[in-house]
Amino acid sequence: MKLTLRIWRQKDAKSKGAFVTYTAEADEEMSFLEMLDVVNEGLIQRGEEPIAFDHDCREGICGTCGFVINGRAHGPRERTTVCQLHMRSFQDGDTLTLEPWRADAFPVLKDLVVDRGAFDRIIAAGGFIASAIGGAPDANAIPIRKENADLSMDAAACIGCGACVAACPNAAAMLFVSAKMGHLAMLPQGQPERMDRARAMVAQMDAEGFGTCTNHGECEAACPKAIRMEFIGRMNADYVKASLTGGRRAAGSEGGSG
Ligand code: FES
């Protein structure tokens, strides 16, 4: 298949970017990133700068890849990262516009690559457990309700790709932050620091310049891991509780209830 690609080219964080048009040939079995690899081989052979884009696992696991294709974060397929997207999702003759995540908190570093360090700083603010818990306990040594275990696993599926921010008209990061808080808030091990975590991560999210959720739902639609907006509600409840009580532990949360 033959494609026309309009790709955002930007030399570095300080330079002004612009769309540049390329033609590409691809097999429908190729992944989207393999198609870009071929385009880049051609650019290198012509002595031109290859297109910069992030990737690592190419298996939908690491969250490193991500850009916007024709206005949609990660492209047209639901629950699919751009590294797992295949050219059979497109038609011969299509024109595809590729641009980086657009958000003040994700400055463009080069071409399709943005700086997602803001996510790392939010995690560093509280997205972890600091308790000394010794060696790994036997499975099932700590009983956890199935409902909570399932919710925790659902939230833990977040790969931190940033599609939620790119899709949100407010560039809000609340789906990401709520997932990273949520998977810990459902488990007993996450309780001792639960309120401190809520305050610290929300404060860091605000300090990074992300917007606020106004219930558009674009984040949930764009998320390749189907993280649900219900986690935002759970995060807000924890944050309000933490702000009102100043306590370190959510009332009635000893068993890891949501
Ligand atoms: S490269 Fe790892 S999720 Fe896409």
Side-chain angles (χ1 to χ4, degrees):
M1 64 173 67
K2 284 203 168 82
L3 301 161
T4 301
L5 303 176
R6 294 178 65 244
I7 302 181
W8 185 261
R9 302 301 311 262
Q10 185 171 331
K11 190 163 173 281
D12 53 40
K14 293 200 175 79
S15 305
K16 222 176 149 192
F19 285 105
V20 178
T21 301
Y22 302 92
T23 52
E25 292 201 22
D27 295 330
E28 62 177 21
E29 292 81 17
M30 280 179 165
S31 76
F32 202 90
L33 298 191
E34 285 169 343
M35 181 275 291
L36 284 182
D37 289 339
V38 172
V39 173
N40 273 346
E41 282 169 16
L43 289 174
I44 291 166
Q45 279 170 8
R46 296 201 299 272
E48 296 177 35
E49 186 76 14
I51 300 148
F53 59 91
D54 265 332
H55 59 98
D56 189 2
C57 72
R58 296 198 178 201
E59 293 181 344
I61 298 167
C62 70
T64 305
C65 67
F67 46 81
V68 173
I69 304 172
N70 285 356
R72 294 185 63 175
H74 286 299
R77 282 187 67 85
E78 286 184 5
R79 302 187 181 190
T80 306
T81 54
V82 74
C83 65
Q84 293 277 282
L85 184 65
H86 284 79
M87 298 313 297
R88 54 182 170 266
S89 298
F90 302 95
Q91 304 289 326
D92 183 37
D94 274 356
T95 296
L96 307 179
T97 300
L98 278 52
E99 53 189 319
W101 294 161
R102 302 286 190 190
D104 287 348
F106 286 165
V108 176
L109 295 176
K110 185 179 171 74
D111 300 338
L112 303 175
V113 177
V114 300
D115 179 358
R116 282 172 287 185
F119 273 12
D120 296 335
R121 291 187 289 274
I122 292 170
I123 295 296
F128 52 83
I129 290 171
S131 318
I133 55 170
D138 287 342
N140 303 323
I142 303 173
I144 297 169
R145 282 168 37 203
K146 177 157 186 351
E147 180 189 61
N148 287 1
D150 287 350
L151 276 169
S152 181
M153 285 300 289
D154 288 352
C158 172
I159 55 174
C161 63
C164 49
V165 175
C168 176
N170 306 328
M174 294 179 83
L175 196 69
F176 164 77
V177 179
S178 67
K180 294 303 177 189
M181 282 171 54
H183 77 99
L184 296 172
M186 299 297 150
L187 300 176
Q189 296 91 333
Q191 302 314 310
E193 295 151 303
R194 182 169 172 178
M195 295 294 102
D196 288 343
R197 179 181 305 116
R199 277 196 301 271
M201 291 182 75
V202 170
Q204 189 63 39
M205 174 180 75
D206 290 343
E208 297 289 350
F210 291 106
T212 302
C213 175
T214 47
N215 294 314
H216 285 266
E218 297 289 339
C219 55
E220 185 177 294
C223 177
K225 298 299 166 184
I227 306 293
R228 300 187 302 279
M229 285 179 69
E230 87 171 70
F231 289 108
I232 296 178
R234 291 173 178 275
M235 176 182 79
N236 287 342
D238 269 12
Y239 182 69
V240 168
K241 211 179 287 181
S243 303
L244 291 176
T245 64
R248 296 175 66 85
R249 178 184 286 241
S253 64
E254 286 78 2
S257 68

